[in-house]
Amino acid sequence: MDVVVIGAGVVGCTVAFELAAAGRRVRVCDPRPPGGGASFASAGVLAPYVEGHDSRPLRDVGRRSLAQYPAFVERVTAASGLPVAFRPIGTAEVATSEADISRLARSKATADAEGVTAEWLEGAAAREAEPQLAAHAAGVLHIPMHAAVDVPALTAASAAAARALGAEFVQTAVRGFSAEAGGIAVTTTDGVAHAPQVVLATGAWSAALAPAGAEPAPVRPIRGQLLHLVGAPDTLRHIVWGPDIYLVPWTSGTVFVGATSEDVGFDERTTASGVASLLARATALVPALAGATFAAARQGLRPGSPDDLPYVGPSAVLPGLVYACGHYRNGALLAPLTATLVARLVAGDRSDPALALLAPSRAGRL
Ligand code: GLY
């Protein structure tokens, strides 16, 4: 075995695919089946100019990863035989106050300066873009480049593609790892695995796995609850991003409503208050959603990092260990780039400039 990937979320599975595609022998370890954590609750919004309003590094890596998406999905589908919906439908970010209008004007100026198309629409033009928006919506910032991806499908297809290329998935919990001659010993509940290189892609659980002599990665769980509403066909044309709410129209009238942002530790529950607040905000912004069928509530623990950027890079403490964790709100967005960077790191190539932005060393002795 060449590489043990710890974690089978969207990051672990896409990393495993890219490593297997590069000819590595890969084992993925996770106590849950692929996509059984936060990836299951993702609405798949790929929107660097929304999520990265105030973060040039996040916009830079997010834009680069988004540009990789069409070809990445095509490769995963070709290797797995499984379709993955990728929908470049754009975002319409809604202003409902003067403060929102000013903020979105700044966002438009940023997008303009960085060569990204962004149109400010108000009045009749805003209604034409999104006819179902509530009357208090003053305008929208439309960014056509943004997209949505079916994250559970992408995770499943990446796992299947990795398997088709020889990777094995083992449902086991990793207890720790340590240096040994020629690589790393990974202790699991089912025995010890040995590999020259290990990728830590354990999402919100990453702080629990620090090598001896290293600080834990400062990653902590931030719960997000997400609703599925169905039966509201043609309600929305874009991903609609409002104050404290976003709505993602999916096929056949499904709308994802996201998401709460809750600092509640490892509490993986959907709650009455979470569902109630999402429904109230969603129907305030798009009243027609009140007639939709409530299909499901999901939750996932986002892997929050102090600067909202992931840690992707080699450990300074344990040779052979590569971090790929702490993606916070942008695991799906940054998955293709993370997979590319990790595959290059495993091949010994540390030259990519994005690694400077994402270096684990910015958080201390990692
Ligand atoms: N990226 C959206 C969220 O984390 O809710």
Side-chain angles (χ1 to χ4, degrees):
M1 193 185 339
D2 299 318
V3 188
V4 171
V5 176
I6 310 175
V10 66
V11 172
C13 289
T14 51
V15 163
F17 163 64
E18 210 57 277
L19 288 170
R24 309 276 165 200
R25 289 170 303 145
V26 180
R27 178 180 297 174
V28 183
C29 298
D30 195 308
R32 303 180 190 195
S39 307
F40 181 63
S42 171
V45 177
L46 309 175
Y49 281 79
V50 173
E51 292 282 10
H53 269 312
D54 303 316
S55 171
R56 175 83 201 230
L58 181 53
R59 290 195 301 277
D60 285 350
V61 291
R63 203 173 147 184
R64 187 173 153 196
S65 198
L66 177 55
Q68 284 184 244
Y69 247 99
F72 189 79
V73 163
E74 208 173 286
R75 287 175 55 230
V76 166
T77 293
S80 66
L82 297 174
V84 177
F86 168 76
R87 306 181 63 223
I89 55 177
T91 47
E93 192 168 1
V94 184
T96 58
S97 65
E98 285 303 323
D100 290 344
I101 292 172
S102 307
R103 188 173 49 82
L104 292 183
R106 289 196 300 278
S107 291
K108 176 167 164 43
T110 301
D112 290 346
E114 295 176 9
V116 169
T117 302
E119 344 167 62
W120 170 247
L121 306 171
E122 53 190 3
R127 305 280 147 220
E128 197 179 327
E130 277 302 343
Q132 300 289 346
L133 282 179
H136 68 288
V140 301
L141 184 64
H142 174 221
I143 300 193
M145 172 182 87
H146 289 154
V149 67
D150 182 339
V151 181
L154 175 65
T155 309
S158 298
R163 273 199 193 96
L165 293 163
E168 56 174 345
F169 283 69
V170 181
Q171 230 173 297
T172 188
V174 170
R175 298 291 179 222
F177 37 70
S178 54
E180 63 176 7
I184 298 176
V186 180
T187 305
T188 75
T189 42
D190 301 292
V192 182
H194 306 271
Q197 307 208 55
V198 169
V199 180
L200 186 70
T202 38
W205 288 267
S206 298
L209 287 173
E215 294 168 43
V219 175
R220 67 198 181 98
I222 302 293
R223 185 171 69 193
Q225 300 187 48
L226 180 87
L227 312 181
H228 291 201
L229 306 181
V230 296
D234 303 328
T235 308
L236 302 172
R237 297 177 179 173
H238 306 87
I239 298 157
V240 170
W241 200 282
D244 296 322
I245 193 82
Y246 55 80
L247 308 166
V248 185
W250 211 252
T251 47
S252 22
T254 297
V255 175
F256 296 146
V257 177
T260 62
S261 203
E262 302 164 88
D263 194 353
V264 291
F266 289 93
D267 179 351
E268 293 184 277
R269 291 181 303 135
T270 52
T271 62
S273 65
V275 172
S277 71
L278 291 171
L279 285 175
R281 288 178 198 156
T283 53
L285 196 60
V286 177
L289 286 176
T293 302
F294 183 92
R298 294 182 180 181
Q299 64 72 40
L301 300 179
R302 301 181 187 87
S305 71
D307 59 6
D308 300 346
L309 286 170
Y311 302 112
V312 181
S315 164
V317 176
L318 179 57
L321 176 65
V322 175
Y323 288 89
C325 62
H327 290 70
Y328 189 36
R329 301 176 59 91
N330 292 294
L333 173 63
L334 299 177
L337 177 61
T338 301
T340 301
L341 294 174
V342 170
R344 288 185 188 154
L345 284 168
V346 163
D349 178 357
R350 298 184 175 194
S351 64
D352 195 299
L355 293 172
L357 299 176
L358 307 180
S361 59
R362 74 188 193 279
R365 191 168 160 72
L366 260 60

